[in-house]
Amino acid sequence: MNKLEAVMAENRRWQEIVGLKTVADLNKAVRQGLATAIINVTEALQERRIASVADDVEMCGSRLVLLAGPSSSGKTTTCKRLAVQLAACGLRPRMISMDNYFVDREHTPRDANGEYDFECLQAVDIPFFNEQLAALLDGQEVELPRFDFQTGSRTTGGERMKLNSSDVLIIEGIHALNPDLTPAIPDNIKYRLYVSALTTIQLDDERRISTSDNRLLRRIIRDHKFRGYSASETLHRWASVRAGEEKWIFPFQENADRMVNSALIYELAVLRNYVMPLLEEVPADSPEYDEAMRLRGLVGFFEPISMKQIPPVSLLREFLGGSSFKY
């Protein structure tokens, strides 16, 4: 059994223990007024897992946490919650954004269609990135770059950073588990973390819910709320996003020292309230209509749960809004 399968099997065992194996089980519990209890226990379980990762980082003496995961897996919130737990261990988390290490636009590789391929590894200035990492881990002070997405060029004048002995550097990005990203950094100081929404609640005893559907529903809501995209636009882009994941993320997921499942057993019952109206807006003559109808059928199986009961540090807040974290 590989690491991904082991994480999913662990979740299924927990669900069977608490009697929430299928959507019917969850719906029954919600109708019995147990939604708040389910939310509280699920959130506590996820916090325990993140705290366990922080304990591992401290015990291993890792100076560098590399966190990767596919689209809408909740990487950013996991980073922020991990930083809190590392601080509780007496460590000082520091974060670097890989977005600031893009090569200048004219040097960005192009895909088969002649478009800029921002998701490929070569879109990152690997030598400069490793030069700065090595310097930081050696105790030197560096001036972090800033990437101007309007001009498509990297500029100076960013934050100056120097690490001390209690600092742990956290780097989040789709290539974080790819060994070609950090070839100049010794493996013994790296801690590799993979995050994904590994949906384990089933429609019934025979039918599973696709983990990519879970992430797609999250993305439809986030894209509409924070980026102004329609559900049709998000659905149209999804095939390209998935192709990038297959090429740049999934091949390296088993490199992780630890995997965190960001799927929450109750979340589709909450997402239903927000994604259903967006899916209903997809026109009948749209190429994305059939997919929208399929997703409407999926979320329609769930008894709705109000967002009001979701705590402000919940990973779901990254997509729904109302988080106590700043993004």
Side-chain angles (χ1 to χ4, degrees):
M1 183 183 295
N2 62 32
K3 294 173 185 175
L4 194 72
E5 291 169 344
V7 170
M8 295 186 75
E10 177 189 11
N11 264 65
R12 291 192 183 101
R13 285 194 298 271
W14 178 80
Q15 287 175 208
E16 289 178 3
I17 290 171
V18 297
L20 295 174
K21 181 182 177 181
T22 68
V23 176
D25 297 331
L26 178 63
N27 288 344
K28 180 180 178 181
V30 171
R31 288 193 292 268
Q32 291 174 342
L34 299 175
T36 300
I38 292 169
I39 291 169
N40 290 342
V41 172
T42 304
E43 294 288 344
L45 179 64
Q46 190 170 79
E47 194 63 37
R48 286 187 65 180
R49 289 170 176 161
I50 295 173
S52 178
V53 171
D55 290 340
D56 281 352
V57 172
E58 180 188 26
M59 183 176 65
C60 296
S62 304
R63 300 290 310 283
L64 179 63
V65 176
L66 298 165
L67 189 153
S71 173
S72 302
S73 57
K75 297 185 295 295
T76 303
T77 300
T78 302
C79 261
K80 293 179 181 297
R81 290 174 70 167
L82 177 59
V84 171
Q85 292 294 338
L86 288 170
C89 291
L91 302 172
R92 186 169 70 150
R94 309 291 296 275
M95 299 187 195
I96 286 182
S97 172
M98 283 185 60
D99 285 353
N100 288 319
Y101 289 88
F102 279 126
V103 298
D104 288 346
R105 188 70 43 82
E106 63 266 26
H107 301 304
T108 303
R110 293 181 181 268
D111 61 21
N113 298 318
E115 303 292 332
Y116 287 119
D117 187 356
F118 296 111
E119 294 193 344
C120 73
L121 182 63
Q122 292 71 32
V124 179
D125 189 339
I126 303 296
F128 179 55
F129 180 64
N130 278 263
E131 176 187 324
Q132 289 219 316
L133 277 186
L136 282 167
L137 293 168
D138 191 43
Q140 301 176 41
E141 183 177 86
V142 304
E143 182 182 284
L144 301 177
R146 291 186 299 179
F147 192 85
D148 187 327
F149 285 90
Q150 289 188 329
T151 64
S153 61
R154 196 169 61 221
T155 63
T156 57
E159 174 192 356
R160 300 196 69 85
M161 181 180 286
K162 182 177 181 179
L163 304 182
N164 63 38
S165 59
S166 66
D167 287 351
V168 176
L169 197 56
I170 304 176
I171 296 174
E172 171 211 332
I174 65 171
H175 301 294
L177 300 190
N178 187 336
D180 291 337
L181 177 69
T182 53
I185 310 303
D187 283 344
N188 65 336
I189 66 170
K190 299 176 185 174
Y191 189 93
R192 304 169 184 85
L193 183 62
Y194 181 77
V195 179
S196 191
L198 306 173
T199 317
T200 51
I201 190 168
Q202 298 186 184
L203 286 176
D204 52 40
D205 289 334
E206 302 296 329
R207 293 180 296 171
R208 296 181 178 180
I209 296 173
S210 166
T211 60
S212 62
D213 281 349
N214 198 150
R215 294 188 291 108
L216 175 55
L217 292 167
R218 288 176 174 181
R219 181 162 174 146
I220 288 170
I221 294 170
R222 185 186 63 187
D223 279 359
H224 178 265
K225 187 173 183 65
F226 299 108
R227 301 173 185 177
Y229 296 156
S230 68
S232 293
E233 290 173 304
T234 300
L235 289 169
H236 179 72
R237 292 185 179 94
W238 189 241
S240 175
V241 171
R242 294 279 289 140
E245 294 171 350
E246 293 287 348
K247 185 175 183 179
W248 297 111
I249 300 175
F250 298 148
F252 306 103
Q253 63 190 20
E254 290 294 317
N255 290 346
D257 296 298
R258 186 78 173 267
M259 291 189 175
V260 171
N261 184 2
S262 71
L264 304 166
I265 193 169
Y266 67 84
E267 73 170 277
L268 294 179
V270 176
L271 297 183
R272 169 187 169 149
N273 303 315
Y274 299 89
V275 78
M276 188 69 87
L278 302 179
L279 293 171
E280 289 172 348
E281 291 176 356
V282 176
D285 59 353
S286 166
E288 290 74 40
Y289 181 73
D290 287 347
E291 180 68 350
M293 286 294 292
R294 184 185 68 82
L295 293 172
R296 284 166 60 181
L298 170 61
V299 296
F301 283 114
F302 288 82
E303 192 81 20
I305 295 176
S306 170
M307 186 182 74
K308 294 178 181 179
Q309 302 176 72
I310 310 304
V313 296
S314 173
L315 182 141
L316 272 193
R317 292 289 183 181
E318 180 177 333
F319 306 95
L320 299 173
S323 176
S324 58
F325 294 120
K326 291 183 179 179
Y327 295 98

